[in-house]
Structures are given as C-alpha cells and as structure tokens.
Amino acid sequence: MIDINKAIDALKWEKEPRGLYEPISYTLASGGKRIRPTLTLIGAEAIVNGSLLNGDAIEQAVPAALAFEVFHNFTLMHDDVMDRAEIRRGQPTVHVKWNDNTAILSGDQMLIEAYKLLSDVPADKLPQVLKWFNEMATGICEGQQMDMDFEHESHISIDDYLKMIELKTAVLLANALRTGGYIAGANESEQQALYEYGLHIGLAFQIQDDILDVYGDPKTFGKAIGGDICSNKKTFLLLTALETADAETKAELLQWLIATEHDEQKKIAAVTAIYSRLGVREAGETVMEEHTSLALAQLDKLPQNAATEKLRVLAEQLVTRNK
Amino acid sequence: MIDINKAIDALKWEKEPRGLYEPISYTLASGGKRIRPTLTLIGAEAIVNGSLLNGDAIEQAVPAALAFEVFHNFTLMHDDVMDRAEIRRGQPTVHVKWNDNTAILSGDQMLIEAYKLLSDVPADKLPQVLKWFNEMATGICEGQQMDMDFEHESHISIDDYLKMIELKTAVLLANALRTGGYIAGANESEQQALYEYGLHIGLAFQIQDDILDVYGDPKTFGKAIGGDICSNKKTFLLLTALETADAETKAELLQWLIATEHDEQKKIAAVTAIYSRLGVREAGETVMEEHTSLALAQLDKLPQNAATEKLRVLAEQLVTRNK
C-alpha cells in the first residue's frame, strides 16, 4: 500500500520566491486526516483488486490523489481568510501567520499546483479526469458561496442545507473515489457506484459533524463542544429545530440567536435543551443513517475485495461512532 | 476571422448562486483590449495559413483563447484585492463593488473556469496545453509575489525587475501565442518562435508602459501621468535611475522617495527632471527596442502570411508609438 503521507512529504516546495511557497509547505505539513487522497487510492484498489488487470494502476492514481489533497488544502487556505478563522489543525492560519495577501496568492498557487499534479494523470484518462475535477471544484466554490449567503438569509430549508454540504464537502470525497477507480479502469457502473458512495458518506459525515459539535465527547471531539451554537451556525440541528419547533419554542430559540449579551455556557445549555426536547439529534441520526445505508448499498455494485471492505468498515464505523 | 468579443460575450454566467457568478460576468463585460485571446487566434492563423492544412484549427483554438482571457481577468480580480486598487477599466473593482470575500471566491471560480475552457482543447493536444498553462500560471503567481516582495526590498536590480515582468506579464502573451500555434499544428521550431516573440513583445510592452506613465501624452494615455512616480513604484525608470545616478543625484531622488508631505505635481516634475538628466527614458527605449528586434527576428522562423504580418505590424507600432 502506498504511504500517502510520504507522497505528500515528497512534494518539493523549496522554490523561490519563498513568500509564495513557504505557506504551501506549512499548510501541507500541518497534517490532517488525508481522507481524500486515501479515498482515491482505495477507489483504485477496489477496481484493480477486483479485475486483477493492472498492478500499476494504483501508482498511476497517486498524482490525482495528491491533487485532491492539495486542492482541499487550497480551499481551507482561502476559506480561512473568508471566515477569519485563526487556528487550523492547532496552528495559526496562513493569513494570521503571514497576511491576507499571502493567503490569497499562495492559495491561488496551490490551486494551480493541484492542476499540475492532475496533469500527470495518464494522457488517455486526462480529459475525463480534468472535466470531473473542474465540475467538482466549481461545486465547492458554489457550496462556499451558498454557505456565505446563508449567513445573511433568514429562511434556509433543510434541502438548501443538504445541497450546500453536498457541494461544499461531499462532491470532493465522491470525485476522489471515482477518479481513483476510473484511473484503475472502472467501468461506468463502478464509477457511478464509487461516486454515489462518496457522496452519501460525505453527507453522513457532515451531519455527524453537526451532531458531534453539540453531543460529542469533549475528551475525544478535539474542538470545544457547542461552538456552532455559540456562533449561530446554521447547522442541520438548528435548521431542523427552526423547522419543527412550535411557536413558543421557536421564539425561545430565536431569543438565544439574537441575544448579543449572554453567558456562552448558558446559551449552549439552553439551546442544547431545546434541541433535545425537539429530538433534532435523532432527526439528524436518521438522515445520517439513511445516507450511510445508501452508501453501503453502492458497494454491492463493486468488486468484493479488501478495498471495498475498507469502504464498508468506514461507513459502519461512521454510524456506530455517533451512538 | 473569429470575433473574440462575441465569443467572450457568449460565455454564460446566468447561473446560481448569483453572488459567485455575477462578479465574473461584471469583470468580463468591462472590456479590456482582449490582447491575449487575440494573440492565441493569430498564433493559430499564422500556422494554418502557412501550412494550409486545417481550416478548423482556428475554431479549435477558441476555447484556449477564451481560457487565457478568463485567466487574465482572474489575475486582475485577485491582484486588485492585494493592491487595494479601486478602479479598473473605469469601473469599481470587484472587492469595492462587493467585498474582499466575493473577489477571492469569484476569482477562484474564474481560475477554475479558465481550466474548464481549456478542457475543451482537442484531447490529443490537451496534455501539452495543460502543462504549458500550469507553468505559465505558476510564473504569473511567482511574478506577482516578486512584485509584492519588491515593495519591501531596498535593492532591486534591473535583472530582477526584468525577471519579474517576464513572469508577471510576458509569459502569458508568449504562451497564448504558442498555444494557438500548437493547436493549429505548429512544429517545435514554430512553437518556440511564437513563444519567444510573445516574451520579447511582452517585455517591450511593459517597459513602454513604464515610460508612458512618465512621458506619455495625457490626452491619449488614459491614466494620469506620473502615477508611478507618486506611488514610488519600482519601475524600469526608477531602478535605472537609482543604478546610474551619481551620489548627489541619488540622494536627491531618495529624498523624494521618502518624503511623506509634498505637492504631487512638484514631486512628478522633480523626479521627471532627474530622469531626463540621467537619460533613463533613452535607456528604457534602448532595452525596449532590443526586445522589439528580438521579437521581430522570431517572425523569420514562421510562415510568411497575413497573421505573421499582423505580428510584424504590432511590433513595429510598439516602437513608433513611443517616439
């Protein structure tokens, strides 16, 4: 199995001008779970192991895997500027450590670097891989725009929210898997199955994130519990609460949303109590489990091997981790 | 001949979310000279007319031509944020009309749109066109970084400056021409000749811009004369002056550079007088003419036809316009 961290570390950033490349190196060295490139390689493995046709196919998928990781880190660098986020993976964000201009320009260069990596995809596969990559990248920008628009909009439906997280998060996982499979020779039905699996697992992950932000174990969650509540973030839980609450409960909830002077812990406790009363956690878990089931169902359309077994375990862990 | 303005107008931006696409539409509709896509088409014409092989080749070059124009406008959108520029082509810049976040995200999407257009290049030509495009885009980011670094550096050599404008400006013109020719079937020597022509003409253009900013005719220049002097911009003229002045003149010039309280017109007049005394205009014209000659020499390696004649006229106008 290819060590994706080693492959990322092997990317060379010791180039001039340092002001452009140092923030890229800093960002990629800051870790992260490397989920996207790992999915690309699993996507390739799933097909290669199934067809036993081409042992080089996983090697061939590495540039695309790296492209997804570099692209993902580009989105974080620019999103952190837009969201004025100060900490990422326990370190100051690039615009804090350097400045906004650096984060903008090094982010631009990272996007270009992703396309550079992509250009190493075998020539016969390149047109399709590039087309998918562009569609995915477009979706992610559209999702980020929707997310920013949501901050200023008072009525957001659950469907709008699901569309936003699909674009902002799920299409990248979906395309990372599909691209890996495609490079390894997946047929159209397998490409589609890998994509759909990634899409549903991405949606499930994001809804779970919303749930864990409120109901997670402070010891293992890694962030402070209730952060979304404090910042009035329009999560699946909040939108479901607003959609399902009776007039009195809704008024109580809105009271907390517009309050500018309040004790944070008190707000978290009060909003969490409303959530629990309305059963929004259970509503979230239901939608999450639906998407997990839809993801698992896709696996039947793929070769049954060690790689697809990893995808099965990933989906199952997702559900149990939350309970 | 293909009408490049019509092709740009035909690009569709009536998509959701409006917050993402409206600034793109606004920027592309704001005009500009469309030099880059025009060069791509001339590059294709130069080869097609010469070889008489493929009448569709110019049509095939249109997506790449559009990609260069969209890419160029992406760089303007992000550069304007970084430079805090408020006006572009007589209109408020995107970050002024909307806000910084909009300019960042719509700019990102424009870069992706450029790659989308590029993906319509014929599949057999795509790997090379993409590779060149990525190298060019990297050069432009490196050039912008150098330009930003120069603001804080006290010693910049003329060579550093020429390297910076080569990356920031000339490689785009060079690659636009080469890519057009390549799509139309240029051989390696022709590809190289188109590239070198573009590179030298780009350098000549930029040096001319520096000269016109000081010595241009206020009636035709379009911008206020002396803007570069007011903002202490490290132009070819200023760097040459600093490099060639005797101690006394250099001190006088530095005095004007560090002065925070002064009459703008007085500063422009004084610095222009120093420039004239040192003959930096003539030094700039000499370098400009050298590059123009080098550009013209490349044309001998290309088919002699209406398109290469356009390139000859373009180079010759460049020299005469300045005198």
Side-chain angles (χ1 to χ4, degrees):
Chain A
M1 182 66 190
I2 285 154
D3 184 335
I4 196 67
N5 275 303
K6 268 194 192 155
I8 292 164
D9 291 344
L11 296 171
K12 292 273 171 277
W13 307 112
E14 305 305 309
K15 293 176 279 192
E16 296 287 342
R18 297 304 303 140
L20 185 67
Y21 291 108
E22 212 182 321
I24 298 177
S25 172
Y26 171 81
T27 300
L28 286 171
S30 73
K33 294 186 284 289
R34 315 298 193 197
I35 291 171
R36 292 151 192 85
T38 303
L39 287 178
T40 304
L41 299 184
I42 293 177
E45 276 186 297
I47 302 307
V48 172
N49 286 0
S51 64
L52 295 170
L53 274 176
N54 183 0
D56 290 338
I58 298 170
E59 276 293 341
Q60 287 184 356
V62 171
L66 294 172
F68 290 116
E69 182 65 10
V70 172
F71 177 84
H72 173 59
N73 280 273
F74 141 71
T75 66
L76 298 181
M77 203 186 281
H78 277 192
D79 284 4
D80 284 343
V81 178
M82 293 186 256
D83 302 341
R84 309 312 307 164
E86 298 193 349
I87 299 286
R88 164 79 60 189
R89 297 169 184 155
Q91 297 189 156
T93 48
V94 168
H95 68 98
V96 168
K97 190 174 162 75
W98 285 272
N99 52 53
D100 281 17
N101 283 2
T102 296
I104 294 171
L105 191 62
S106 291
D108 290 345
Q109 182 55 31
M110 275 185 107
L111 176 50
I112 294 159
E113 295 286 347
Y115 280 104
K116 272 191 185 176
L117 287 161
L118 213 62
S119 74
D120 287 332
V121 164
D124 62 320
K125 301 276 169 49
L126 182 61
Q128 180 64 75
V129 168
L130 179 61
K131 190 169 170 288
W132 281 338
F133 195 91
N134 289 334
E135 282 169 7
M136 171 201 81
T138 296
I140 287 160
C141 286
E142 290 180 355
Q144 170 68 4
Q145 183 68 45
M146 286 176 77
D147 201 9
M148 296 199 303
D149 289 344
F150 284 1
E151 283 176 38
H152 313 288
E153 284 167 19
S154 51
H155 285 288
I156 297 149
S157 68
I158 302 289
D159 278 353
D160 286 342
Y161 177 78
L162 291 175
K163 184 72 202 168
M164 184 275 284
I165 61 172
E166 178 180 324
L167 290 171
K168 193 169 166 174
T169 305
V171 295
L172 180 40
L173 304 181
N175 193 45
L177 270 162
R178 176 176 61 180
T179 299
Y182 175 72
I183 290 171
N187 62 35
E188 272 187 43
S189 149
E190 291 167 336
Q191 294 165 27
Q192 188 66 16
L194 285 166
Y195 190 84
E196 293 287 331
Y197 169 90
L199 209 58
H200 289 298
I201 218 76
L203 288 165
F205 254 115
Q206 190 56 54
I207 295 166
Q208 186 200 35
D209 246 30
D210 288 357
I211 295 171
L212 290 177
D213 196 88
V214 177
Y215 295 103
D217 183 341
K219 281 180 227 140
T220 54
F221 183 53
K223 288 189 283 187
I225 295 296
D228 289 349
I229 291 176
C230 286
S231 64
N232 290 343
K233 197 173 161 202
K234 283 157 185 160
T235 65
F236 184 88
L237 301 185
L238 177 56
L239 295 173
T240 305
L242 288 169
E243 209 161 82
T244 58
D246 58 37
E248 201 183 332
T249 310
K250 192 169 174 178
E252 192 191 339
L253 184 55
L254 289 171
Q255 212 54 50
W256 281 109
L257 293 180
I258 58 168
T260 49
E261 298 265 328
H262 58 261
D263 180 86
E264 279 203 347
Q265 289 309 315
K266 230 170 144 182
K267 177 173 174 177
I268 294 170
V271 173
T272 304
I274 296 171
Y275 284 176
S276 299
R277 222 151 75 211
L278 294 169
V280 296
R281 177 186 184 162
E282 291 72 19
E285 283 171 353
T286 301
V287 176
M288 203 191 93
E289 281 160 23
E290 280 167 13
H291 284 293
T292 307
S293 296
L294 288 167
L296 283 168
Q298 298 298 326
L299 298 181
D300 298 340
K301 302 174 194 167
L302 292 168
Q304 302 303 307
N305 56 39
T308 43
E309 188 52 30
K310 280 185 206 168
L311 296 178
R312 191 177 312 280
V313 169
L314 180 70
E316 282 165 357
Q317 279 176 344
L318 181 69
V319 190
T320 53
R321 178 156 74 109
N322 191 42
K323 273 185 176 162
Chain B
M1 182 65 191
I2 284 154
D3 183 334
I4 198 65
N5 276 302
K6 269 196 191 152
I8 292 163
D9 291 345
L11 295 171
K12 292 274 171 277
W13 307 111
E14 305 305 311
K15 292 178 278 191
E16 297 285 342
R18 296 305 302 141
L20 185 66
Y21 292 108
E22 212 181 320
I24 298 177
S25 172
Y26 171 81
T27 300
L28 286 171
S30 72
K33 294 185 284 289
R34 315 298 192 198
I35 291 171
R36 293 149 191 87
T38 302
L39 287 178
T40 304
L41 299 184
I42 292 177
E45 276 186 297
I47 303 307
V48 171
N49 285 1
S51 65
L52 294 171
L53 274 175
N54 183 2
D56 290 338
I58 298 170
E59 275 293 341
Q60 286 184 357
V62 171
L66 294 171
F68 290 116
E69 182 65 10
V70 172
F71 177 85
H72 173 60
N73 280 273
F74 140 73
T75 66
L76 299 181
M77 203 187 281
H78 276 192
D79 284 4
D80 284 343
V81 178
M82 293 186 256
D83 302 341
R84 310 311 307 162
E86 299 192 351
I87 299 286
R88 164 81 60 190
R89 297 170 184 153
Q91 296 190 156
T93 49
V94 168
H95 69 98
V96 168
K97 190 175 163 73
W98 285 273
N99 52 53
D100 281 16
N101 284 1
T102 295
I104 294 171
L105 191 62
S106 291
D108 290 346
Q109 182 56 32
M110 275 185 106
L111 176 50
I112 294 160
E113 296 286 348
Y115 280 104
K116 273 191 186 176
L117 287 160
L118 213 62
S119 74
D120 287 332
V121 164
D124 62 319
K125 301 275 169 50
L126 182 61
Q128 180 64 74
V129 169
L130 180 62
K131 190 168 170 288
W132 281 339
F133 194 91
N134 289 334
E135 283 168 8
M136 171 202 82
T138 296
I140 288 160
C141 286
E142 291 180 356
Q144 170 67 3
Q145 182 68 45
M146 287 176 77
D147 201 10
M148 295 199 305
D149 289 345
F150 284 1
E151 283 177 38
H152 313 289
E153 284 167 20
S154 52
H155 284 288
I156 297 150
S157 69
I158 302 288
D159 279 353
D160 286 342
Y161 177 77
L162 291 175
K163 183 74 201 166
M164 184 276 284
I165 62 172
E166 177 180 326
L167 290 171
K168 194 169 164 174
T169 304
V171 294
L172 180 38
L173 304 182
N175 193 46
L177 270 162
R178 175 177 62 180
T179 299
Y182 175 72
I183 290 170
N187 63 34
E188 271 187 45
S189 148
E190 291 167 335
Q191 293 164 28
Q192 188 66 17
L194 286 166
Y195 190 84
E196 294 288 330
Y197 169 91
L199 210 58
H200 289 298
I201 218 78
L203 288 166
F205 254 117
Q206 190 56 55
I207 295 166
Q208 185 199 36
D209 247 29
D210 289 358
I211 295 171
L212 290 177
D213 196 88
V214 177
Y215 295 102
D217 182 341
K219 282 180 228 141
T220 55
F221 184 52
K223 287 189 283 187
I225 296 297
D228 290 348
I229 291 176
C230 286
S231 65
N232 289 343
K233 198 174 160 200
K234 284 158 185 159
T235 64
F236 184 89
L237 301 184
L238 177 55
L239 295 173
T240 304
L242 288 169
E243 210 161 80
T244 56
D246 58 38
E248 198 182 333
T249 309
K250 192 169 174 178
E252 191 191 341
L253 184 54
L254 289 170
Q255 210 57 47
W256 280 109
L257 294 180
I258 58 169
T260 49
E261 299 265 330
H262 57 260
D263 178 88
E264 279 203 346
Q265 290 309 315
K266 229 171 145 181
K267 177 173 175 178
I268 293 170
V271 173
T272 304
I274 296 171
Y275 285 176
S276 299
R277 221 154 73 212
L278 294 170
V280 295
R281 177 185 183 163
E282 291 71 21
E285 282 172 352
T286 301
V287 176
M288 204 191 93
E289 281 161 24
E290 278 167 13
H291 284 293
T292 306
S293 296
L294 288 167
L296 283 167
Q298 297 298 324
L299 298 181
D300 297 340
K301 303 174 194 166
L302 293 167
Q304 302 304 308
N305 56 41
T308 42
E309 189 51 33
K310 281 185 207 169
L311 296 178
R312 189 177 313 279
V313 169
L314 181 70
E316 283 165 355
Q317 280 177 343
L318 183 68
V319 189
T320 53
R321 180 157 74 110
N322 191 44
K323 274 186 174 158

